[in-house]
């Protein structure tokens, strides 16, 4: 699509320079290794391929999470969302899950979405934890605002982390209740919820960086819905 | 009393079955069993339907009446059987007694549960309704909580190690992958769930000392068997599949609450039910070639393997770690994946165990899951926390 750069300059919001997320490697329950790393803006078209099948999966609210994540990633790709980042989990190069968020300001981070493609391995838990790690430890923020759009998300984030409910502010995803992870709470919960080794051994990093492999639509549906 | 044969068996894959109602699942499993039995134009005289939670989860009662109509089996007698997680075993027992007594010739027993249409919290609460309504439930007792306390005691008393418990989880998930009916199709490794520091997230504590992978999943599913007298089965002509007879069964109960037992680690009802089943079959634990034990929690496979007499007390965990309970080991246990991997739709489990052992005794499973030359098989269906237990001994009938 041809872009009018003069107009673009008016449409695009100025972005802050964000520190990058250093990749890490996690041993999964099945013994496989998941590399968690930051995706680049140019990776978005591939990520959208993986998200697209979820738009028609109502189970566990994958459709609403998928459609919003799709819009957020596309918005980032087309420079319509400010200060966004995206972390991905890859197993043998294959995309296992995606999380994204953004800096609302210097001190406050916004957790956007968490989407696990490989289910039953706590991919979502690992990636959500990585997202919190990114906000607090690498972006240097004081707190992260979080909301949940599915019971699984609510159980995972609000209960496991013991998040603080905040009634005086609105999470930008809409009217759902907003919760807060403070820096103190993050460090309190970190020993039991945030894991991963750095640096990632080169052979694993090479596979991950070479290509983001995306399973075909039928496989993604089967992984998510679990129907035989 | 007549000898009772298992004329046909059927199951549907366990897991999450969003597109089907409970009645769909029960009908589907029943039709599989009726087809397998080769009933032709014969009808069944009675239907026993095992289920624990339709009244709570689906807000549906009298499901046996509904199922016979759905299956066009009218005017067959129909009863629903609710006995907690032992509902399946109880329904099979009722079917066996009905045929053995000579009152009915052909009986369909089907067990099913649809648990995934509610959240995990609701499912845990629903299962907790089997606990004591005054001494346990109001205090927040759940089955995982009870199993956690039991595990702690059992580990202390019999020196069971975490490594032994983990060995059960790994074994059952490893073979569950080969079972097309299993809910969980995922290998887990000791590194991933125990040794790696990352296991703190992969395998979090659920009910200390039990972790996530020590517990069975919450599943939807159904299984069915068709029973008739052995004599009638043999008169039906040369069967397409080897016949399996119910050589014995046992049932025993224990105190409702764990704290009332002299020794909470002593699963007396398991010992008594298994002994009764073995005695009726005139067999000893050592004669059993393959067993399906109720491993709703990994510790239960170890404890039950000792209480039925496969191993001495304190030896079950060691046996699991040494691979003795694997396929090819000296006492293969839960070669279906057990409740841990096949899943635990509570009303279906007792029936599914009988179905799996029947397949084993017919020697019709794939080589990678078939116990070679299996002749005698056993099940233990554990209700409550061991307060109502059923055990069956099945035997291959050589033609």
């Amino acid at each position: 699509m041809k872009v009018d750069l003069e107009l673009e300059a008016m449409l695009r919001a100025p972005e802050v320079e964000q520190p990058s997320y250093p990749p890490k490697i996690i041993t999964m329950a099945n013994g496989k290794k998941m590399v968690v790393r930051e995706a680049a803006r140019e990776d978005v078209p591939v990520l959208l391929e993986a998200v697209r099948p979820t738009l028609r999966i109502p189970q566990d609210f994958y459709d609403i999470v998928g459609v919003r994540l799709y819009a957020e990633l596309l918005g980032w790709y087309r420079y319509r969302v400010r200060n966004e980042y995206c972390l991905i989990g890859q197993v043998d190069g294959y995309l296992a899950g995606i999380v994204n968020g953004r800096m609302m300001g210097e001190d406050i981070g916004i957790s956007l979405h968490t989407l696990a493609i490989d289910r039953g391995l706590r991919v979502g838990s690992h990636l959500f934890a990585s997202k919190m790690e990114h906000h607090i430890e690498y972006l240097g923020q004081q707190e992260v605002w979080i909301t949940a759009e599915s019971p699984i998300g609510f159980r995972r984030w609000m209960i496991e982390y013991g998040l603080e409910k905040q009634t005086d502010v609105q999470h930008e995803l809409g009217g759902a209740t907003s919760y807060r992870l403070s820096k103190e709470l993050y460090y309190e919960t970190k020993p039991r919820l945030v894991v991963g080794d750095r640096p990632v051994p080169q052979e694993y990093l090479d596979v991950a960086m070479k290509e983001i492999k995306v399973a075909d639509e039928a496989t993604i549906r089967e992984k998510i819905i679990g129907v035989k | 009393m007549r000898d009772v044969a298992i004329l046909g068996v059927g199951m549907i894959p366990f897991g999450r079955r969003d597109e089907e109602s409970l009645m769909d699942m029960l009908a589907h499993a029943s039709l599989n069993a009726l087809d397998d039995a080769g009933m032709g134009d014969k009808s069944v005289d009675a239907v026993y339907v095992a289920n624990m939670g339709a009244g709570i989860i689906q807000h549906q009662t009298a499901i046996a009446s509904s199922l016979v109509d759905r299956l066009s089996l009218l005017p067959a007698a129909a009863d629903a059987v609710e006995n907690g997680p032992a509902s399946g075993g109880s329904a099979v027992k009722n079917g066996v007694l009905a045929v053995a007594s000579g009152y009915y010739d052909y009986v369909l027993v089907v067990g099913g549960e649809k648990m995934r249409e509610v959240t995990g919290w609701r499912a845990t609460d629903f299962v907790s309704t089997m606990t004591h309504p005054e001494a346990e439930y109001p205090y927040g007792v759940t089955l995982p909580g009870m199993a956690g306390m039991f595990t702690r005691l059992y580990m202390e008393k019999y020196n069971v190690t975490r490594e032994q418990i983990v060995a059960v989880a790994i074994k059952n998930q490893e073979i569950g992958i080969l079972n097309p009916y299993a809910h969980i199709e995922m290998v887990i490794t000791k590194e991933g769930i125990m040794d790696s520091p990352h296991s703190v997230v992969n395998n979090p504590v659920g009910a200390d000392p039990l972790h996530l992978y020590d517990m069975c999943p919450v599943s939807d599913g159904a299984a069915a068997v068709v029973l008739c007298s052995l004599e009638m089965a043999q008169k039906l002509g040369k069967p397409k599949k080897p016949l399996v007879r119910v050589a014995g069964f046992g049932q025993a109960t224990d105190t409702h609450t764990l704290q009332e037992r002299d020794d909470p680690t002593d699963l007396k009802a398991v010992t008594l039910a298994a002994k009764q089943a073995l005695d009726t079959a005139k067999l000893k634990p050592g004669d059993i070639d393959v067993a399906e034990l109720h491993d709703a929690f990994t510790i239960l496979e170890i404890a039950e393997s000792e209480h039925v007499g496969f191993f001495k007390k304190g030896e079950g965990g060691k046996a699991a770690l040494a691979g003795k309970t694997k396929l090819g080991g000296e006492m293969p246990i839960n070669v279906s994946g057990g409740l841990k991997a096949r899943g635990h739709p509570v009303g279906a489990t007792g029936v599914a165990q009988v179905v799996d052992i029947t397949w084993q005794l017919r020697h019709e499973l794939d080589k990678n899951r078939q116990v070679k030359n299996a002749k005698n098989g056993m099940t233990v269906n554990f209700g409550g926390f061991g307060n109502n237990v059923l055990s069956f001994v099945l035997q291959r009938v050589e033609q």
Side-chain angles (χ1 to χ4, degrees):
Chain A
M1 189 179 78
K2 203 170 176 185
V3 174
D4 182 325
L5 290 176
E6 198 178 342
L7 273 176
E8 272 299 298
M10 286 184 268
L11 290 170
R12 289 183 191 185
E15 296 200 47
V16 295
E17 192 72 28
Q18 294 186 47
S20 60
Y21 179 81
K24 67 179 180 181
I25 190 161
I26 297 171
T27 302
M28 310 293 283
N30 61 4
K32 294 209 167 201
K33 309 285 184 188
M34 178 167 75
V35 173
V36 181
R37 68 176 181 92
E38 192 162 7
R41 197 187 298 264
E42 51 270 28
D43 293 327
V44 167
V46 178
L47 300 181
L48 293 181
E49 267 180 54
V51 178
R52 205 171 288 121
T54 68
L55 308 189
R56 289 187 295 277
I57 300 177
Q59 285 91 341
D60 298 327
F61 298 86
Y62 261 83
D63 52 359
I64 188 165
V65 170
V67 80
R68 287 181 160 217
L69 177 62
Y70 194 98
E72 289 152 9
L73 291 175
L74 190 60
W76 179 42
Y77 186 61
R78 297 269 179 90
Y79 297 89
R80 294 296 181 268
V81 181
R82 188 176 179 179
N83 301 334
E84 188 175 344
Y85 70 88
C86 172
L87 306 182
I88 56 174
Q90 289 170 276
V91 178
D92 298 331
Y94 277 93
L95 188 69
I98 306 172
V99 285
N100 67 334
R102 69 179 210 92
M103 293 176 75
M104 190 167 86
E106 196 177 320
D107 292 335
I108 298 173
I110 295 289
S111 170
L112 290 170
H113 285 95
T114 300
L115 187 129
I117 293 168
D118 284 354
R119 300 190 73 183
L121 285 167
R122 294 183 65 82
V123 164
S125 292
H126 283 302
L127 291 178
F128 181 83
S130 304
K131 178 159 63 169
M132 297 305 115
E133 181 186 34
H134 189 38
H135 278 287
I136 303 293
E137 296 197 39
Y138 299 105
L139 299 179
Q141 299 195 291
Q142 297 303 308
E143 60 186 63
V144 189
W145 292 3
I146 301 152
T147 191
E149 290 171 336
S150 74
I152 291 176
F154 183 81
R155 198 166 66 225
R156 292 273 182 276
W157 327 139
M158 283 61 193
I159 305 296
E160 281 192 6
Y161 285 78
L163 298 180
E164 300 163 22
K165 192 172 180 176
Q166 45 184 11
T167 52
D168 54 336
V169 296
Q170 179 65 63
H171 190 285
E172 62 188 43
L173 283 178
T177 308
S178 180
Y179 290 80
R180 174 176 172 267
L181 178 81
S182 64
K183 195 175 197 172
E184 295 71 33
L185 189 55
Y186 168 77
Y187 282 110
E188 202 178 293
T189 50
K190 184 180 173 182
R192 64 181 173 85
L193 293 169
V194 187
V195 297
D197 296 331
R198 295 187 174 93
V200 178
Q202 199 58 45
E203 66 268 31
Y204 286 99
L205 194 58
D206 287 346
V207 171
M209 297 303 289
K210 187 180 173 193
E211 184 190 358
I212 301 171
K213 295 179 183 170
V214 174
D216 60 73
E217 180 167 349
T219 306
I220 289 175
R221 282 185 64 83
E222 192 185 322
K223 279 169 183 264
I224 292 173
I225 305 173
V227 171
K228 285 177 243 180
Chain B
M1 298 283 266
R2 302 192 291 183
D3 245 351
V4 177
I6 295 173
L7 195 58
V9 293
M11 206 177 323
I12 57 171
F14 287 11
R16 180 174 168 170
R17 303 183 66 96
D18 288 345
E19 308 304 320
E20 290 174 301
S21 68
L22 172 65
M23 207 48 60
D24 292 335
M25 295 195 309
L26 291 168
H28 192 167
S30 299
L31 291 172
N32 287 347
L34 291 165
D35 279 350
D36 185 61
M39 293 286 287
D41 57 359
K42 286 179 216 56
S43 188
V44 299
D45 304 305
V47 179
Y48 293 93
V49 183
N51 171 266
M52 180 179 166
I56 299 173
I57 298 179
Q58 281 80 34
H59 203 62
Q60 184 182 1
T61 56
I63 58 172
S65 317
S66 176
L67 184 67
V68 282
D69 192 11
R70 171 76 179 269
L71 291 171
S72 298
L73 292 175
L74 303 174
D79 295 289
V81 179
E82 192 281 297
N83 190 19
S87 298
S90 283
V92 175
K93 180 198 78 172
N94 279 294
V96 168
L97 285 174
V99 172
S101 71
Y103 206 88
Y104 294 129
D105 288 331
Y106 295 98
V107 168
L108 168 69
V109 180
V110 54
E113 205 77 55
K114 189 166 171 61
M115 304 171 76
R116 296 293 303 230
E117 69 181 49
V118 293
T119 64
W121 293 351
R122 298 270 178 224
T124 300
D125 177 63
F126 141 66
V127 176
S128 302
T129 59
M130 75 173 94
T131 61
H132 196 288
E134 287 149 15
E136 292 173 336
Y137 184 83
Y139 300 100
V141 167
T142 61
L143 269 294
M146 224 176 238
M149 292 188 279
F150 177 84
T151 305
R152 170 82 62 209
L153 283 173
Y154 213 86
M155 288 174 87
E156 283 176 7
K157 183 163 183 180
Y158 295 109
N159 296 318
V160 177
T161 65
R162 174 106 197 94
E163 202 174 21
Q164 293 167 1
I165 291 175
V166 162
V168 173
I170 293 170
K171 168 184 74 82
N172 290 356
Q173 288 206 202
E174 189 176 68
I175 199 140
I177 287 176
L178 305 172
N179 181 356
Y181 295 91
H183 182 169
I184 304 295
E185 296 173 302
M186 190 181 89
V187 168
I188 48 175
T189 63
K190 185 163 168 280
E191 183 195 13
I193 66 167
M194 183 175 157
D195 294 343
S196 163
H198 306 166
S199 67
V200 69
V201 177
N202 297 336
N203 192 19
V205 171
D208 192 28
L210 291 177
H211 292 241
L212 175 69
Y213 287 106
D214 291 315
M215 305 183 194
C216 66
V218 173
S219 316
D220 301 333
V225 300
V226 176
L227 305 169
C228 77
S229 75
L230 181 61
E231 192 184 353
M232 291 181 75
Q234 285 167 329
K235 280 183 185 166
L236 286 173
K238 188 171 166 53
K240 287 181 188 160
K241 294 177 179 177
L243 284 172
V244 171
R245 65 184 276 265
V246 180
F249 73 82
Q251 183 175 13
T253 51
D254 203 345
T255 61
H256 194 170
T257 64
L258 267 174
Q259 80 248 22
E260 287 177 282
R261 298 178 195 171
D262 296 335
D263 176 0
T265 63
D266 186 9
L267 301 173
K268 280 184 192 165
V270 173
T271 306
L272 293 171
K275 184 174 184 323
Q276 194 179 12
L278 286 164
D279 287 350
T280 316
K282 297 183 174 58
L283 294 174
K284 298 200 174 331
D287 297 322
I288 298 298
D289 302 306
V290 55
E292 286 290 314
L293 304 184
H294 194 111
D295 59 328
F297 305 98
T298 42
I299 188 70
L300 286 181
E301 180 176 308
I302 292 172
E304 289 168 24
S305 73
E306 296 170 357
H307 282 77
V308 302
F310 295 149
F311 305 104
K312 287 182 185 159
K313 293 275 178 75
E315 298 297 317
K318 292 177 193 164
L321 187 60
K324 291 181 183 177
T325 55
K326 279 184 172 181
L327 182 69
E330 69 181 59
M331 183 60 243
I333 294 173
N334 289 332
V335 187
S336 66
L339 282 61
K340 177 76 188 74
R342 185 187 54 220
H344 186 26
V346 281
T349 289
V351 185
Q353 291 176 319
V354 170
V355 171
D356 268 307
I357 292 294
T358 301
W359 282 331
Q360 284 286 352
L361 301 183
R362 287 175 176 178
H363 304 169
E364 62 186 28
L365 293 170
D366 287 341
K367 204 165 52 179
N368 53 16
R369 215 160 61 80
Q370 175 67 51
V371 174
K372 207 172 173 189
N373 301 322
K375 182 172 165 51
N376 300 311
M378 185 179 202
T379 70
V380 171
N381 187 195
F382 187 88
F385 206 86
N387 58 26
N388 202 330
V389 177
L390 286 108
S391 177
F392 289 88
V393 171
L394 308 183
Q395 191 165 56
R396 178 183 169 100
V397 179
E398 298 302 343
Q399 303 299 312

